[in-house]
Amino acid sequence: MSQDPSQDVATEFEEAANHETIKLSPELDHAISNILETKDPLDSSDFDPIEYINLIFPGEDSLATVDTVLAKLRNKIWAMDKEMRELVRSQTDAGVRGQKQLEETRQAIQELFNSIKQIKEQAAESERMVQEITRDIKSLDHAKKNLTSSVTVLRRLQMLVSAVEQLRTMAGKKQYIEAAQLVQVINQLLAHFKTYRSVNQIAALLDSVTQLQADIKRQIFRDFESGFVGGALRSQLGLLSDACLVINILEGDARQSLINWYCDIHLKDYRGIFRNNPEVAGLGDVSRRYAWLKRLLKTYDEDHAVIFPPEWKVAEVLCDKFCHDTRQDLSEVLARADNSMDVKLMLQALQTTMDFEGKLDKRFGIHNLEEESGPTSDDVQPPKTSRFFKIISSVFEPYLRHYIEIEDRSLSDIMEQYRARPVLQEEDAVLSSSTDLFYLYRQTLVQCAKLSTNKPFLDLVRLFAKWLKQYADLLSSKLPKDDKKAITEDEIRITCLIINTGDYCTTTTTQLEEKLSEKIDEEFRPLVNFNRERDAFLDVSSTGIKILVHGIENCVEPALNSMLKRPWGTLEAVGDQSEYVTIIAQTLMSTVTVARRTFASNTKYFRTFCDKFAESFLGRYYNTIFRCKPVSEIGAEQMLLDTHALKTIFIQMANINSDTPSQPPATYIKIVTKAVTKVEQLLKVVLRPYQPVEGIVETYLLLFNDHSLTNFQKVLELKGLKRVEQQTVIEAFQRRVPTDSLPGGSTGTLSGNPAGSSFTNAMNAISGSTTSTGGKIESGFRKFVAGMKRS
C-alpha cells in the first residue's frame, strides 16, 4: 500500500533539511553558471523554494497537479543520482589508471637514465682511443708550424739584409727615388722583427738600420744646404725633390726638421733686417714687412714649390713663422711707443696688418678649416677662417685704448657744439644733433668692429653709454626752467622738440644696443646694457611733458583769476558761457596747436600730454570753484553751463589741428568725463536748496559717498550759508551719518561715485532746476566749437 503523496513530500523535505547546505562564493557561483550555461531556476544561486512553489502552484486549483509535479521531481532526482554515481565511479577508475601510468613513467625514466649513462661512458672511452691514435700526428703538426714560421722569419731576415745593403748603395749614389722605395720596404719588414729584439743578431741588425736612416737624413740635409746657399736655390732641383720622397718616409721628425730648416734659413734675412734695425722696424714700415714676405712667397711659388710635396704645406708653415716673428717685433715696437703713441699711424699699421691677414686667409683658409675645425654646415659659421685669423693684429688690441680716448675727446667736442646750437633753428621733428650723434656712433661702431670686437669694442660700448647719458643731460638742460610764468610759443616748440628727441633716442638706443651685442665677442655680450641710458631719455620726455602741462596751465591762469573775480553769489540770471571759458578756449587753441604741430607724427606723446593736461587742469578748475565762494544757485547753474563748455573744449582739444579728426581715445574721454563729473556733482550739491536740510544732506551723501564733516562744511561755505544755517544742516548731517549704510565710510575727500538707483533718483530731482540752461549751453557754445573745427 503506497504512502500518501503529501507524506512523501514531507519526508523528503525532512531528509533535505538534515543535509548540510554548501554555499559558494558569488564569484565562484557566477563562474560555474557561465560554464554550465543552464537556464534552470533550480540552478540559480539565489533560488527561493517558496517562490518557486508559489510559481508552480499559484492557486488552490493548481494543487490538483501536485502528483504530477512530484513525479517529475522524483524522476529528476533519480536521474541526478544516477549521473552522480557514474561520475564518482569514473573518477575512482581514473585515479587508479593515473597511478598505474605514473609508475610506468617512472620506470621509463630510470631506463632512459641508465641508457644515457652507458652512452656517456662509451663516448669517453672512444675519446681516449682517438687521443692515443692522433698523439703522434699532433706532434708532427706543431713541428710543421714551427718550421714554417722559422722559414718565414729567415726569408724576411734575408730580405731585410738585402734591402739594407741595397739602400746603403742607393744612398751612396744619391738615387733617392729607389732609396725611398727601399726605405718603405725596410719599414714594413722592421715591423715583423720588433718582437725579436732579445736576439742579439737581430738587435744588432735593427740598430744598423736605424743608424743607416740617420746617415741618410744627414746626407739629405747636406744636399739641401749645398742646394740653398744663403737661401737661394743654386741647382739639383730634381735631386732635392727626390730626397723629399725619402724624408717623407723616414720615421721620426725628419720631415718637420727639414721644413723648419727651410723656413729658418729663409727668414734669417728678415729677422736681421727688421729686428735689429730701428729705422725700418717702426709702425710706419709695417707694409715693408709684408712686402718682403710677398716677394719670398713669389720665389717659393715659382722656384721652390716643386721641391716639396704639397701635403707638407711648406708655404703655410713659412707664413706662420713669419707672422709669429712679426707679432713679437710689433709687440716690442708698440710697447716702446705706448706713452707717445701716434694713433693715426697705429691705426694705419693695424689696417695694413688686417689686410695682410685677410690675404693669408684667402690663400690658406679653406684647407685649414677642413683640418682644424672639421666639416662645417652651411648654417654654422666657424669662429675663424684659418690659423692666420688675427695672428698679428691681436697684438694691437691693448693699445686701441688710445683710439678710444681720441673718440672720447671727439665726442666731448661734438657735445660742446650741441650745447651751443640753438634749438629753434631745427626744422625737423627731432633735434638734428640726435640724428648726427647716432650716425657718428654707427660709423665709429663699424670702424671699431673692423679693428677689434674684443675688449676694445667693450670699451667703445662703455664710451657710447657715457655720452648717451651726457646727451640726455644736455636735453634736460635745454628744457624751460621757470615754472612760475606762462610758457611762450617758442618754449612750447623747444619742449616738444626735446620730448620728440628723447623718444627718438630711447628707440634708437635700443637698436644701438642690439647692433653692439651682435658685433661684440660672445664673452662680452652680457656686458652690453643701455638700460640706464634708456631710462635717462625716458625721463627727459617725461619731464618735458610735465613742464609742458605746467607751462600751459600757467597760460590759462589769467582765465582762472577772471573766474575768481566774477560775483558768483549775486548773479541774477544764467547767460551764455562765461568770459573766462572763452579765454581758456582761445589760450588752448593757440598753445595746444603749437604743441600738436611740433609733435608732428609723434601722436603717442601728444596723447600723453592731453591726458596729463586734462587731468591736471580740470583738477585745478575743481579746486578754483571752492575759492569762488559764495556761489548762489544761479551761479551754480552758470558754472554747470561753463563746465559743460569746458568738457566740449577738452574733447575737441584731442583732435586740434588734426588733418583727419577722429574719435578721441577712450582713455582720454574717460579722464575728462571723470573730472567733469566730479565738478558737476559739486555744483549740483550747491544747487540744492538747504531747506529741507535732509534734502541737501542726502544729495551730498549720494553724490560723494563721503562722511567727512570737514568736507561737507566746505560745500556749505561754498554755498554761502550763514553760521546759523550751517549749524542746522550740520546737525542733520551728523544725525544722518551714524545710521548711513553706504560702503566706504569717511573718505576725507569730495570725490566719489554715484551709488546705484538712489543716485539716479537724486540726479533726476536735481536736473529739473538746470533744464532751462541746456539750450543756452548749446546755442552759446556752437560758434566756438565751429571755430575750432575750421581752424
Side-chain angles (χ1 to χ4, degrees):
M1 184 174 181
S2 61
Q3 290 180 326
D4 186 15
S6 61
Q7 293 179 352
D8 293 341
V9 173
T11 302
E12 293 176 0
F13 275 109
E14 289 176 359
E15 293 176 353
N18 293 330
H19 293 295
E20 182 180 359
T21 302
I22 299 175
K23 292 188 177 181
L24 305 177
S25 63
E27 295 80 3
L28 181 59
D29 193 12
H30 180 69
I32 294 172
S33 300
N34 291 337
I35 294 173
L36 297 178
E37 295 183 354
T38 177
K39 297 182 180 180
D40 193 337
L42 294 175
D43 295 329
S44 175
S45 59
D46 55 352
F47 173 72
D48 186 356
I50 296 176
E51 182 180 354
Y52 184 71
I53 291 173
N54 290 333
L55 183 64
I56 297 175
F57 304 107
E60 294 181 359
D61 297 337
S62 60
L63 293 175
T65 60
V66 66
D67 293 334
T68 305
V69 173
L70 288 174
K72 290 181 179 180
L73 290 174
R74 290 192 186 96
N75 290 336
K76 189 168 185 179
I77 292 171
W78 179 82
M80 292 179 66
D81 289 341
K82 181 180 178 182
E83 184 178 357
M84 290 174 64
R85 284 193 298 273
E86 291 177 352
L87 289 172
V88 171
R89 190 180 297 114
S90 64
Q91 291 298 321
T92 302
D93 294 342
V96 174
R97 288 195 303 273
Q99 187 67 27
K100 183 178 180 181
Q101 290 175 355
L102 180 60
E103 291 298 331
E104 291 176 354
T105 303
R106 288 177 179 175
Q107 185 177 358
I109 292 172
Q110 185 64 38
E111 293 175 356
L112 178 61
F113 176 76
N114 293 334
S115 298
I116 293 173
K117 183 177 180 182
Q118 184 179 2
I119 293 171
K120 185 176 181 181
E121 293 174 353
Q122 291 176 356
E125 183 66 25
S126 299
E127 184 178 359
R128 285 193 295 271
M129 292 175 62
V130 171
Q131 287 179 352
E132 291 176 359
I133 295 171
T134 60
R135 185 178 300 158
D136 296 337
I137 298 174
K138 287 183 178 180
S139 298
L140 292 174
D141 186 52
H142 286 300
K144 179 184 177 182
K145 184 181 296 184
N146 292 334
L147 181 61
T148 303
S149 178
S150 300
V151 171
T152 302
V153 171
L154 290 173
R155 186 179 299 157
R156 288 174 178 170
L157 182 59
Q158 183 182 7
M159 293 171 62
L160 177 59
V161 173
S162 175
V164 170
E165 292 299 327
Q166 292 180 34
L167 176 60
R168 186 174 285 110
T169 302
M170 295 299 154
K173 296 179 180 180
K174 295 186 179 182
Q175 296 180 2
Y176 290 127
I177 295 179
E178 293 79 3
Q181 296 174 353
L182 289 171
V183 171
Q184 189 172 9
V185 171
I186 290 172
N187 289 338
Q188 294 176 357
L189 291 173
L190 287 175
H192 299 287
F193 291 96
K194 290 182 179 180
T195 57
Y196 296 98
R197 272 200 168 271
S198 58
V199 181
N200 294 334
Q201 292 81 358
I202 293 179
L205 178 61
L206 296 179
D207 291 340
S208 67
V209 171
T210 303
Q211 184 62 40
L212 177 59
Q213 291 187 357
D215 294 340
I216 294 173
K217 176 183 175 182
R218 284 193 293 271
Q219 177 180 315
I220 292 174
F221 269 70
R222 287 194 298 269
D223 292 339
F224 269 89
E225 290 173 358
S226 61
F228 289 95
V229 178
L233 181 62
R234 299 303 181 187
S235 61
Q236 300 178 326
L237 194 131
L239 177 67
L240 298 181
S241 178
D242 296 341
C244 288
L245 299 178
V246 180
I247 292 293
N248 207 30
I249 298 173
L250 288 177
E251 294 181 350
D253 60 346
R255 183 174 75 177
Q256 191 59 46
S257 298
L258 182 60
I259 295 174
N260 291 338
W261 173 86
Y262 174 83
C263 294
D264 290 339
I265 194 175
H266 285 86
L267 290 175
K268 182 179 179 180
D269 291 342
Y270 171 74
R271 293 163 182 161
I273 295 172
F274 291 95
R275 183 167 294 177
N276 300 321
N277 188 356
E279 294 181 0
V280 294
L283 293 177
D285 299 305
V286 167
S287 59
R288 299 178 63 180
R289 294 174 178 269
Y290 306 139
W292 188 94
L293 180 64
K294 182 179 179 181
R295 290 192 299 270
L296 178 60
L297 287 177
K298 182 179 179 182
T299 301
Y300 173 83
D301 293 337
E302 294 177 353
D303 301 329
H304 303 171
V306 295
I307 299 176
F308 303 102
E311 64 270 17
W312 285 20
K313 303 177 185 176
V314 176
E316 187 173 335
V317 176
L318 180 64
C319 292
D320 183 66
K321 287 182 174 294
F322 170 86
C323 290
H324 281 88
D325 288 345
T326 305
R327 176 186 174 88
Q328 181 180 350
D329 294 348
L330 292 181
S331 177
E332 296 174 358
V333 171
L334 289 167
R336 288 194 298 267
D338 189 13
N339 295 329
S340 58
M341 182 68 69
D342 186 340
V343 178
K344 183 177 180 180
L345 184 61
M346 180 189 71
L347 294 179
Q348 290 176 351
L350 176 56
Q351 187 61 53
T352 303
T353 301
M354 295 175 62
D355 294 340
F356 168 73
E357 290 172 342
K359 293 176 181 178
L360 293 182
D361 280 340
K362 186 176 181 180
R363 174 165 178 168
F364 302 112
I366 298 177
H367 56 79
N368 269 311
L369 278 180
E370 294 174 351
E371 295 176 4
E372 297 178 9
S373 304
T376 57
S377 64
D378 295 336
D379 297 333
V380 180
Q381 294 296 329
K384 60 181 183 178
T385 55
S386 74
R387 69 170 71 178
F388 300 104
F389 179 75
K390 292 190 175 182
I391 190 172
I392 302 175
S393 59
S394 58
V395 78
F396 286 85
E397 289 191 352
Y399 304 95
L400 285 176
R401 68 179 186 277
H402 298 292
Y403 164 70
I404 302 299
E405 291 170 359
I406 287 181
E407 293 295 337
D408 189 13
R409 291 194 293 270
S410 175
L411 286 171
S412 177
D413 295 339
I414 291 173
M415 208 61 63
E416 289 300 324
Q417 296 175 13
Y418 291 166
R419 286 190 178 92
R421 185 183 298 179
V423 176
L424 291 179
Q425 289 183 355
E426 306 290 343
E427 297 180 357
D428 297 327
V430 298
L431 299 182
S432 60
S433 58
S434 63
T435 57
D436 293 344
L437 178 64
F438 283 103
Y439 180 75
L440 177 62
Y441 273 13
R442 184 169 68 87
Q443 287 183 316
T444 307
L445 182 157
V446 172
Q447 181 178 357
C448 188
K450 293 179 180 178
L451 303 177
S452 173
T453 55
N454 205 272
K455 178 64 168 54
F457 198 85
L458 179 63
D459 294 338
L460 182 70
V461 170
R462 291 168 176 167
L463 179 67
F464 283 174
K466 168 188 172 181
W467 288 108
L468 284 175
K469 182 63 172 60
Q470 292 285 335
Y471 188 69
D473 295 341
L474 184 151
L475 293 177
S476 296
S477 67
K478 289 183 177 294
L479 288 170
K481 296 297 186 295
D482 190 355
D483 58 351
K484 296 181 180 180
K485 67 176 184 178
I487 193 170
T488 65
E489 291 189 2
D490 288 344
E491 290 175 334
I492 292 175
R493 281 195 291 270
I494 291 173
T495 305
C496 293
L497 280 172
I498 292 176
I499 292 171
N500 288 343
T501 304
D503 180 53
Y504 166 77
C505 291
T506 302
T507 304
T508 314
T509 298
T510 301
Q511 298 170 356
L512 175 66
E513 180 182 354
E514 294 172 354
K515 196 66 175 178
L516 291 170
S517 298
E518 177 186 331
K519 293 289 186 182
I520 201 168
D521 289 351
E522 183 69 28
E523 59 180 311
F524 298 110
R525 194 161 295 167
L527 301 178
V528 180
N529 189 306
F530 284 166
N531 288 339
R532 188 172 71 96
E533 290 69 30
R534 266 193 300 271
D535 292 342
F537 286 120
L538 287 173
D539 290 342
V540 169
S541 298
S542 177
T543 303
I545 290 293
K546 292 178 182 178
I547 291 175
L548 190 63
V549 169
H550 192 65
I552 295 181
E553 276 188 357
N554 291 338
C555 293
V556 187
E557 184 69 24
L560 296 180
N561 292 334
S562 174
M563 175 183 177
L564 290 172
K565 294 177 181 178
R566 193 169 188 187
W568 296 101
T570 58
L571 287 182
E572 297 178 355
V574 177
D576 292 335
Q577 66 185 32
S578 300
E579 182 182 1
Y580 75 90
V581 176
T582 304
I583 296 174
I584 291 174
Q586 293 172 349
T587 303
L588 293 183
M589 172 65 69
S590 59
T591 55
V592 178
T593 299
V594 174
R596 178 58 183 264
R597 187 184 305 114
T598 310
F599 276 124
S601 59
N602 194 356
T603 57
K604 174 179 67 175
Y605 277 99
F606 179 72
R607 297 302 183 195
T608 303
F609 159 73
C610 290
D611 293 347
K612 299 293 184 182
F613 181 75
E615 185 176 14
S616 177
F617 175 78
L618 291 176
R620 192 171 182 178
Y621 174 72
Y622 177 83
N623 294 328
T624 303
I625 292 176
F626 283 97
R627 298 170 58 193
C628 295
K629 60 186 178 183
V631 177
S632 65
E633 295 179 7
I634 299 297
E637 289 185 12
Q638 181 64 48
M639 281 189 176
L640 275 174
L641 185 148
D642 295 341
T643 302
H644 183 80
L646 283 176
K647 180 179 180 181
T648 306
I649 292 171
F650 275 90
I651 295 297
Q652 293 294 328
M653 186 183 73
N655 283 321
I656 197 169
N657 203 41
S658 176
D659 296 334
T660 55
S662 60
Q663 180 69 16
T667 305
Y668 176 71
I669 293 179
K670 183 177 179 181
I671 291 173
V672 173
T673 302
K674 181 179 179 181
V676 169
T677 300
K678 183 179 178 181
V679 174
E680 290 176 342
Q681 290 173 351
L682 174 63
L683 295 175
K684 287 173 182 178
V685 174
V686 175
L687 268 172
R688 182 79 176 187
Y690 85 96
Q691 292 289 349
V693 293
E694 290 78 6
I696 190 172
V697 171
E698 184 68 21
T699 301
Y700 177 81
L701 292 175
L702 287 174
L703 292 176
F704 288 100
N705 189 24
D706 177 25
H707 296 174
S708 171
L709 179 60
T710 303
N711 291 337
F712 182 63
Q713 193 169 1
K714 290 180 180 179
V715 176
L716 298 181
E717 291 174 358
L718 176 63
K719 190 172 176 63
L721 296 182
K722 298 178 180 179
R723 289 287 183 182
V724 178
E725 296 171 338
Q726 289 186 25
Q727 187 61 34
T728 305
V729 180
I730 289 173
E731 291 174 356
F733 180 82
Q734 291 175 332
R735 288 194 303 270
R736 177 68 176 82
V737 168
T739 59
D740 188 86
S741 59
L742 291 175
S746 179
T747 61
T749 65
L750 288 178
S751 62
N753 295 322
S757 59
S758 299
F759 173 76
T760 304
N761 295 335
M763 292 293 290
N764 292 334
I766 296 171
S767 61
S769 62
T770 59
T771 303
S772 60
T773 64
K776 296 179 180 179
I777 293 174
E778 183 64 26
S779 60
F781 199 66
R782 187 181 297 113
K783 294 181 180 179
F784 170 75
V785 174
M788 289 186 66
K789 290 182 178 180
R790 284 195 301 272
S791 60

